[in-house]
Amino acid sequence: MKTVVLVGGGHAHLSVLRQFSRHRAKLARHRVIFITPSTRQFYSGMLPSCMAGHYDVSDCQIALEPLAAAAGAELVLASVAALNVHEKRLVLDTEETISYDVVSLNIGSETDVAGLEMSGDKLFAVKPLATFFQLWLRVLAEAELKPTYRLVVIGGGVAAVELALAARHALSSITRVEVELIIPERGMLSLANASLRDRVRAYLDRAGVAMRQGPGVATSAGLGIADGQIIIADRFIAATGARAPKWVSKSGLEFDAAGFIAVDDHHRSRSHATVYAAGDICSRRDVAMQRSGVHAVYAGPVVGANLLAELGIGLPIAYAPKRHPLYILACGPRYAIAAWGAWSVEGRWVWFWKDWIDRSFIRRFS
Ligand SMILES: Cc1cc2nc3c(=O)[nH]c(=O)nc-3n(C[C@H](O)[C@H](O)[C@H](O)COP(=O)(O)OP(=O)(O)OC[C@H]3O[C@@H](n4cnc5c(N)ncnc54)[C@H](O)[C@@H]3O)c2cc1C
């Protein structure tokens, strides 16, 4: 009998739990433990359109308890606070310890807010998503009481663009609103193709979202930017890229230069064969793989197959990331921009296409 521990209910582990449910009879002599701080997983792909008012929160969440039950997994409602790879042991925030034979980490990432720590609670980090959404509801409530509202989103990736556009759309029906996007020195969507960047720049312009060059650094007066100006706002949202949680950094695993868990093409730790990782928390040396939900989703069945192989069920497989995954950016109203390789397209129908993809994803795990 072996103990397999799944940490986090991210995109990849949703697939793993589904796979385990299909092999439940064979898994019966093993122990599967699933650790998650929450019984519901917020799906990031739908968060911007939820902010824009097109979805209820319940449309964007996946219930984790039924998935765990179907997989025959013991559900532990807690967060992992430490991982000791030498003793093969996890310590939870409840101080309970759990030993494993094989552990898989799909815990996402934290928002990197270094340099942005502000006094009071002016700054919201986009992760964890559920906490962010609660704070967003507070933004809506306080905007109702103000004749004008100024919101600054800091970041240059897809999430920052989507959040700025969603916020602009939602707040403009409540009050006079100014939304500004502070982008890093390397620019906006620096890893995307030029045609997507052009479309997004034009759309931000049409939507009235101003863009300024960072880097943003918090000062006692507000947010300092490259040209020496200080930006003052009612709230700041940080969508400033990912970093690994501290407890992961202290685990003794091998990391890449940015502190993410170095994995091989089987998504197994390069230093410790009993540790697997998928999604934002891991990093591949052999291929370029952006931190995105798309890769977390596609790596899921691979990690699932490899964990089953550890238990003598089937054979291990490798994950070959798609060179050109499809990305669709929600623009606030029911309008979206899609990019695939060097190609891009936009329109209302693109939003409905995204809506179909996202709802299908939620349905698959419901
Ligand atoms: C607004 C926004 C929009 C986005 N849109 C897209 C998009 O359209 N397409 C795309 O590809 N990417 C998108 N992304 C990026 C995407 O969200 C991430 O890359 C993706 O969520 C990573 O998935 P994951 O499976 O690694 O982890 P997550 O989906 O973040 O899940 C991690 C899980 O682990 C749990 N967890 C965390 N810490 C612990 C712990 N210590 N112990 C136990 N459990 C823990 C969390 O509760 C959570 O359930 C977007 C991001 C944002 C912020």
Side-chain angles (χ1 to χ4, degrees), residues 242-318:
R243 73 177 176 201
K246 275 210 177 75
W247 64 266
V248 172
S249 328
K250 292 182 184 163
S251 63
L253 289 164
E254 184 183 325
F255 302 108
D256 71 0
F260 295 99
I261 301 171
V263 292
D264 63 15
D265 58 353
H266 287 63
H267 278 248
R268 185 164 45 187
S269 153
R270 296 182 69 93
S271 57
H272 293 78
T274 53
V275 180
Y276 285 81
D280 277 10
I281 195 60
C282 75
S283 166
R284 290 267 297 265
R285 203 184 285 168
D286 55 329
V287 283
M289 198 172 74
Q290 279 188 45
R291 245 165 217 98
S292 75
V294 173
H295 289 303
V297 169
Y298 288 132
V302 173
V303 172
N306 294 340
L307 293 174
L308 288 170
E310 293 276 356
L311 304 175
I313 305 164
L315 294 171
I317 52 175

Side-chain angles (χ1 to χ4, degrees), residues 72-352:
E74 294 165 38
L75 183 73
V76 177
L77 282 179
S79 286
V80 169
L83 163 63
N84 185 327
V85 284
H86 306 293
E87 292 172 16
K88 295 205 267 179
R89 206 159 41 86
L90 296 153
V91 182
L92 310 186
D93 57 355
T94 54
E95 288 177 13
E96 187 189 343
T97 60
I98 294 181
S99 297
Y100 62 82
D101 294 296
V102 185
V103 66
S104 175
L105 305 175
N106 181 209
I107 51 167
S109 54
E110 295 178 351
T111 308
D112 187 356
V113 289
L116 292 174
E117 294 84 2
M118 290 184 177
S119 53
D121 57 357
K122 280 217 154 185
L123 181 81
F124 297 168
V126 68
K127 298 251 175 132
L129 297 184
T131 311
F132 170 76
F133 193 76
Q134 290 308 313
L135 296 170
W136 168 248
L137 296 179
R138 218 200 285 168
V139 167
L140 292 178
E142 63 192 27
E144 285 204 6
L145 305 175
K146 293 196 165 201
T148 59
Y149 197 84
R150 194 168 152 78
L151 184 81
V152 169
V153 179
I154 312 160
V158 171
V161 169
E162 286 194 309
L163 293 176
L165 288 170
R168 164 90 214 175
H169 180 74
L171 291 170
S172 56
S173 62
I174 296 177
T175 185
R176 251 193 64 209
V177 62
E178 272 180 56
V179 176
E180 210 165 354
L181 184 62
I182 307 299
I183 60 171
E185 270 170 316
R186 62 177 179 278
M188 182 214 24
L189 301 181
S190 57
L191 299 175
N193 73 55
S195 105
L196 174 67
R197 254 196 318 272
D198 291 347
R199 282 185 193 275
V200 169
R201 202 172 286 124
Y203 193 91
L204 286 166
D205 207 33
R206 288 207 298 280
V209 174
M211 206 166 41
R212 279 207 264 185
Q213 190 92 33
V217 179
T219 69
S220 53
L223 184 77
I225 58 167
D227 59 10
Q229 283 191 54
I230 301 289
I231 298 183
I232 294 163
D234 291 291
R235 294 281 179 185
F236 296 85
I237 295 176
T240 31
R243 73 177 176 201
K246 275 210 177 75
W247 64 266
V248 172
S249 328
K250 292 182 184 163
S251 63
L253 289 164
E254 184 183 325
F255 302 108
D256 71 0
F260 295 99
I261 301 171
V263 292
D264 63 15
D265 58 353
H266 287 63
H267 278 248
R268 185 164 45 187
S269 153
R270 296 182 69 93
S271 57
H272 293 78
T274 53
V275 180
Y276 285 81
D280 277 10
I281 195 60
C282 75
S283 166
R284 290 267 297 265
R285 203 184 285 168
D286 55 329
V287 283
M289 198 172 74
Q290 279 188 45
R291 245 165 217 98
S292 75
V294 173
H295 289 303
V297 169
Y298 288 132
V302 173
V303 172
N306 294 340
L307 293 174
L308 288 170
E310 293 276 356
L311 304 175
I313 305 164
L315 294 171
I317 52 175
Y319 173 54
K322 287 187 183 207
R323 267 189 69 207
H324 300 301
L326 173 71
Y327 289 103
I328 308 183
L329 273 85
C331 293
R334 289 186 168 89
Y335 192 94
I337 306 175
W340 183 76
W343 174 86
S344 69
V345 67
E346 66 183 274
R348 264 176 71 75
W349 68 271
V350 181
W351 189 90
F352 285 97

